[in-house]
């Protein structure tokens, strides 16, 4: 019996959050409006202060700053906070005990809190919330904050700070977390007055969830949490100059539609922004209307069904030959919520040399950052794609439609000739790809898959079929080892009816496996598949290919046990049992299905399966870092012949 999933609950829209928080605070004069970026619709004119209407004020209540914090989180619809208390944040934990609307999950390490909040946000579309104390508690959040920043995840991190009178004195457990995180947050706040707490939290939620999503830090001095203030809701939001553009410019859209219908070799290059915008249905409609091939980046797996005939797979360093070749030979690339990062483009000056570029993104800073956009479109992907569909339909009605028959002949040849595959080891040991493939088949496309970083991450992206958005979670931009277990925990909390599998490596797993204790005690029955090859697998692959097989510090075992397969110190089965989980081990191909089925039947506790796999397996295809996508290898010393079509 397998767990059944239910669709992710609909997350509150930016409009919902604004309504909960209240309208913008009336300003003296007018709010500054930034200049529109190329391709952006003009920003709306600011409302004069004289005609602005403040939100109706509720009857104020006398509360402490800490109570104001908890009440604001409740009013903003927060369901869960992942955190760990300490001295500076302790005042907030007292009223938290009385809340009937907030669930607090006590993690074992603050990094786990941050990744759990990220997994929750990625799985649900809601804002993830984590909380820590000052100094080392706050700095332990730096990695998950940076991770969320790179992958555009709506996250609010709340940290306690030493009393305001001691800030700057090197007081006990002082760290300038606002300064530390300035480059890796969308915005951050240092709050030193109790009366500013509720408004600042509302602003943080609004910033995190609107425009391009991202992490926002709220650092609150301990004396502000302890002081008395008035709490009323809704609160006015005061963010002058923050006006993210969501509606695309119609002229740019019409030009993009004209280019799409006149192109002979178009490609829809889909990034994670499509999932953030909940634009998968609109994408499917546009793709079928145009007939163009679709490629989905590592962060966009599930945005377009893998089973769809127009889907060519993932591009980039470990992408399919068909996807990489389509980009290289395209005459038009329509980039939707993607950023032309180096893992996709390879050597940038050789990327897609003959392609014109239509680039749509909600963040104007991304457009033309790496590759010049011939047609820049600033806007929310769902609105951009819907408008593109309408404009392409108009072009078709006027008799303008491209002939893609020859293009598809070429694409189908690449797809048929160079499929993603693997070989079974001759010694009878387990192929890691086979393990992951069977997990995907048995758990099915409704499950949520959360990967760590390394070879297992790439195999999970390659060998599991993703049919729905928000069913594939991973650390893409930062590549954070230790992401999988806590992120899976957060995803399961956000979607309790879904079957959640963390696919982790034996190296990654040892960085954050203490959160299994959290899962066991909090009743969060995630399933963890450890792809145990006894090594830091991806680093070892690079050492094999580029360092003459000189394996420097990648073997996770003891030298006198070098012949033993997999990491055995620690014993992951015993470790799982010590944490209150079920521990299983699988070492041969004939055991794989039975062990996975056994794990699927356990729904009341976390399950950890130690899959002992062949250590020499590699991820193919591969484009070596810094080289051209034209030099992709389908296996060692084997490259595709780009010019043959039959």
């Amino acid at each position: 019996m397998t767990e059944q999933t239910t669709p992710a609950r609909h997350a509150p829209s930016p409009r919902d959050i604004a309504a909960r928080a209240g309208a913008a605070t009336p300003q003296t004069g007018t709010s500054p409006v930034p200049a529109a970026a190329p391709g952006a619709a003009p920003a709306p004119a600011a409302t004069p202060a004289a005609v602005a209407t403040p939100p109706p004020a509720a009857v104020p209540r006398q509360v402490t700053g800490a109570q104001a914090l908890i009440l604001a989180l409740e009013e903003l619809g927060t369901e869960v906070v992942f955190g760990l208390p300490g001295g500076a944040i302790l005042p907030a934990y007292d009223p938290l005990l009385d809340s009937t609307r907030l669930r607090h999950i006590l993690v074992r390490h603050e990094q786990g809190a941050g990744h759990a909040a990220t997994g929750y946000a990625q799985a649900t579309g809601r804002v993830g919330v984590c909380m820590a104390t000052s100094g080392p508690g706050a700095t332990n959040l730096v990695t998950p904050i940076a991770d969320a920043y790179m992958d555009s995840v709506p996250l609010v991190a709340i940290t306690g700070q030493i009393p305001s009178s001691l800030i700057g004195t090197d007081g006990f457990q002082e760290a300038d977390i606002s300064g530390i995180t300035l480059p890796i947050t969308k915005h951050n706040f240092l709050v030193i007055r109790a009366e500013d707490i509720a408004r600042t939290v509302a602003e943080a939620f609004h910033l995190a969830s609107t425009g391009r999503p991202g992490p926002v830090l709220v650092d609150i001095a301990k004396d502000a949490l302890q002081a008395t203030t008035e709490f009323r809701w809704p609160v006015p939001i005061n963010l002058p100059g923050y006006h993210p553009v969501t509606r695309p410019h119609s002229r740019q859209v019409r030009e993009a539609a004209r280019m799409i219908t006149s192109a002979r070799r178009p490609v829809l290059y889909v990034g994670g922004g499509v999932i953030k915008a909940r634009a998968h249905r609109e994408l499917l409609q546009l793709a079928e209307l145009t007939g163009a091939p679709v490629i989905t980046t590592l962060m966009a797996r599930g945005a377009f069904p893998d089973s769809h005939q127009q889907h060519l797979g993932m591009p980039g360093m470990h992408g399919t030959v068909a996807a990489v070749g389509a980009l290289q030979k395209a005459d038009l690339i329509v980039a939707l919520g993607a950023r032309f990062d180096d893992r996709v483009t390879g050597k940038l000056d050789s990327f897609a040399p003959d392609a014109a570029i239509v680039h749509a993104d909600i963040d104007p800073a991304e457009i033309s950052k790496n590759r010049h956009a011939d047609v820049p479109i600033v806007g929310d992907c769902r609105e951009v794609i819907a408008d593109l569909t309408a404009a392409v339909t108009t072009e078709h009605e006027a008799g303008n439609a491209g002939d893609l028959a020859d293009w598809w002949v070429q694409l189908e040849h690449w797809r048929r000739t160079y499929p993603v595959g693997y070989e079974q080891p001759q010694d009878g040991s387990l192929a890691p790809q086979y393990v992951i493939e069977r997990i995907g088949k048995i758990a099915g496309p409704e499950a949520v898959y959360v990967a760590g970083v390394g070879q297992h991450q790439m195999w999970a992206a390659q060998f599991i079929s993703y049919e729905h958005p928000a069913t594939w979670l991973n650390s893409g931009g930062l590549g954070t080892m230790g992401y999988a277990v806590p992120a899976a925990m957060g995803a399961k909390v956000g979607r309790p009816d879904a079957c959640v599998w963390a696919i982790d490596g034996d190296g990654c797993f040892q960085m954050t496996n203490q959160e299994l204790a959290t899962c066991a005690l909090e009743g969060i029955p995630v399933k963890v598949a450890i792809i145990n090859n006894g090594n830091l697998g991806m680093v070892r692959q690079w050492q094999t290919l580029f360092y003459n097989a000189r394996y420097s510090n990648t073997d996770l075992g003891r030298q006198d046990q070098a012949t033993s397969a997999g990491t055995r110190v620690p014993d992951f089965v015993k470790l799982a049992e010590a944490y209150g989980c079920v521990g299983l081990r699988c070492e041969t191909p004939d055991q794989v299905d039975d062990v996975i089925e056994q794990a699927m039947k356990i729904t009341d506790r976390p399950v950890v399966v130690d899959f002992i796999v062949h250590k020499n397996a590699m991820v193919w295809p591969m484009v070596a870092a810094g080289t051209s996508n034209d030099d992709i290898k389908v296996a060692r010393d084997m490259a595709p012949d780009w010019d043959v079509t039959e």
Side-chain angles (χ1 to χ4, degrees):
M1 180 179 178
T2 61
E3 294 178 270
Q4 298 297 312
T5 185
T6 57
R9 284 162 292 172
H10 183 65
S13 68
R15 183 176 298 174
D16 295 333
I17 291 175
R20 286 172 177 167
T25 300
Q27 302 293 307
T28 302
T30 59
S31 298
V33 179
T47 304
V51 298
T53 303
V59 177
R61 297 167 52 186
Q62 287 293 118
V63 298
T64 66
Q67 290 173 316
L69 169 64
I70 302 305
L71 289 169
L73 290 173
E74 290 178 340
E75 293 293 342
L76 288 161
T78 306
E79 296 177 323
V80 61
V81 177
F82 301 91
L84 188 69
I89 196 64
L90 202 56
Y93 272 81
D94 187 65
L96 183 59
L97 189 65
D98 299 324
S99 176
T100 59
R101 294 163 63 181
L102 286 181
R103 178 185 181 185
H104 180 273
I105 292 180
L106 176 62
V107 298
R108 280 6 185 207
H109 190 284
E110 291 90 352
Q111 182 179 354
H115 290 318
T118 291
Y120 174 91
Q122 288 177 314
T124 65
R126 302 171 67 89
V127 176
V129 182
C130 56
M131 191 154 65
T133 195
S134 64
T139 58
N140 281 341
L141 285 177
V142 169
T143 294
I145 289 172
D147 182 89
Y149 184 73
M150 290 289 282
D151 289 342
S152 303
V153 178
L155 179 75
V156 170
I158 298 167
T159 54
Q161 184 54 271
I162 65 172
S164 58
S165 62
L166 296 178
I167 292 176
T169 68
D170 292 334
F172 177 66
Q173 290 195 334
E174 179 181 6
D176 179 10
I177 195 62
S178 296
I180 290 169
T181 61
L182 186 63
I184 55 169
T185 51
K186 187 174 178 182
H187 193 69
N188 63 37
F189 300 89
L190 172 60
V191 184
I192 59 174
R193 301 193 310 166
E195 55 265 37
D196 294 332
I197 290 175
R199 174 182 53 79
T200 302
V201 171
E203 290 172 351
F205 270 66
H206 183 72
L207 287 166
S209 60
T210 57
R212 180 179 181 174
V216 178
L217 174 83
V218 181
D219 192 34
I220 309 175
K222 185 174 183 178
D223 53 319
L225 291 169
Q226 294 172 319
T228 302
T229 187
E230 287 188 346
F231 178 83
R232 65 180 74 208
W233 199 268
V235 293
I237 288 179
N238 180 22
L239 295 170
Y242 180 70
H243 305 289
V245 174
T246 58
R247 290 288 301 146
H249 197 293
S250 59
R251 184 178 66 241
Q252 305 296 92
V253 170
R254 289 195 301 271
E255 178 60 17
R258 185 196 64 77
M259 294 174 70
I260 291 170
T261 54
S262 61
R264 305 300 295 270
R265 301 186 306 280
V267 176
L268 299 181
Y269 161 37
V270 176
V274 170
I275 292 178
K276 298 290 191 303
R278 305 187 190 96
H280 54 284
R281 295 183 183 87
E282 289 78 5
L283 173 64
L284 179 63
Q285 186 177 4
L286 176 65
E288 292 183 339
L289 177 66
T290 63
V294 179
I295 63 172
T296 52
T297 66
L298 183 67
M299 297 307 297
R301 306 290 286 115
F304 192 78
D306 278 3
S307 59
H308 198 287
Q309 183 63 23
Q310 287 173 242
H311 190 234
L312 298 183
M314 184 174 70
M317 177 173 279
H318 294 295
T320 67
V321 170
V324 172
L327 287 173
Q328 288 301 99
K329 304 300 181 182
D331 64 0
L332 176 67
I333 294 174
V334 181
L336 302 168
R339 57 189 180 87
F340 292 91
D341 66 283
D342 62 291
R343 283 305 195 256
V344 168
T345 65
K347 188 178 180 182
L348 189 59
D349 60 11
S350 67
F351 173 73
D354 300 321
I357 304 295
V358 172
H359 191 177
D361 201 287
I362 199 165
D363 184 358
E366 288 296 340
I367 294 179
S368 294
K369 183 177 77 175
N370 295 326
R371 175 65 182 261
H372 173 74
D374 298 281
V375 178
I377 305 176
V378 177
D380 179 86
C381 267
R382 185 161 57 174
E383 299 200 31
V384 170
I385 296 171
D387 285 4
L388 272 175
T389 299
V392 169
T393 300
T394 299
E395 289 288 326
H396 286 180
E397 291 170 349
N400 303 321
D403 181 0
L404 307 185
D406 291 343
W407 184 219
W408 274 108
V409 168
Q410 178 71 81
L411 297 172
E412 290 292 0
H413 168 74
W414 290 334
R415 179 154 58 183
R416 183 174 59 252
T417 307
Y418 307 109
V420 175
Y422 59 93
E423 294 182 352
Q424 295 286 359
Q426 296 300 308
D427 61 2
S429 59
L430 265 178
Q433 302 96 323
Y434 177 71
V435 171
I436 293 170
E437 187 175 55
R438 294 309 300 158
I439 291 173
K441 292 291 186 183
I442 294 171
E446 305 300 325
V448 176
Y449 302 92
V450 187
V453 170
Q455 288 181 313
H456 60 279
Q457 175 191 26
M458 295 299 105
W459 289 322
Q462 292 175 333
F463 292 104
I464 294 175
S465 294
Y466 299 98
E467 300 294 315
H468 311 291
T471 55
W472 163 247
L473 315 182
N474 79 123
S475 171
L478 196 64
T480 307
M481 293 179 68
Y483 167 90
V485 171
M489 175 173 71
K492 184 66 173 175
V493 170
R495 296 179 59 184
D497 296 328
C499 176
V500 178
W501 274 93
I503 298 175
D504 218 358
D506 45 328
C508 288
F509 178 72
Q510 294 187 74
M511 294 192 171
T512 52
N513 62 37
Q514 71 276 355
E515 299 310 330
L516 288 175
T518 307
C519 292
L521 292 171
E522 292 281 349
I524 307 170
V526 298
K527 306 180 194 306
V528 181
I530 305 174
I531 308 303
N532 184 355
N533 63 3
N535 284 268
L536 299 173
M538 188 62 85
V539 182
R540 188 178 194 275
Q541 174 167 331
W542 280 47
Q543 288 174 336
T544 300
L545 297 175
F546 310 123
Y547 293 88
N548 299 315
R550 289 167 53 84
Y551 300 120
S552 174
N553 293 284
T554 47
D555 190 330
L556 294 172
R558 293 203 306 259
Q559 290 304 310
D560 60 347
Q561 294 181 340
T563 58
S564 177
T567 295
R568 302 291 178 152
V569 179
D571 182 319
F572 291 133
V573 173
K574 291 181 180 178
L575 182 66
E577 292 170 348
Y579 275 132
C581 308
V582 175
L584 306 171
R585 179 170 287 124
C586 177
E587 300 191 59
T588 60
D590 60 297
Q591 300 173 332
V592 170
D593 282 16
D594 287 344
V595 171
I596 296 171
E597 292 282 8
Q598 187 178 348
M600 293 290 291
K601 292 176 183 177
I602 299 169
T603 59
D604 61 340
R605 285 171 292 168
V607 183
V608 176
V609 186
D610 184 16
F611 290 99
I612 308 297
V613 301
H614 194 73
K615 70 179 181 181
N616 291 326
M618 293 195 187
V619 183
W620 299 107
M622 182 177 182
V623 179
T627 66
S628 171
N629 281 352
D630 290 329
D631 299 325
I632 188 173
K633 297 292 190 295
V634 294
R636 195 166 186 178
D637 301 322
M638 293 180 60
D641 188 337
W642 294 115
D643 298 323
V644 175
T645 58
E646 291 296 340

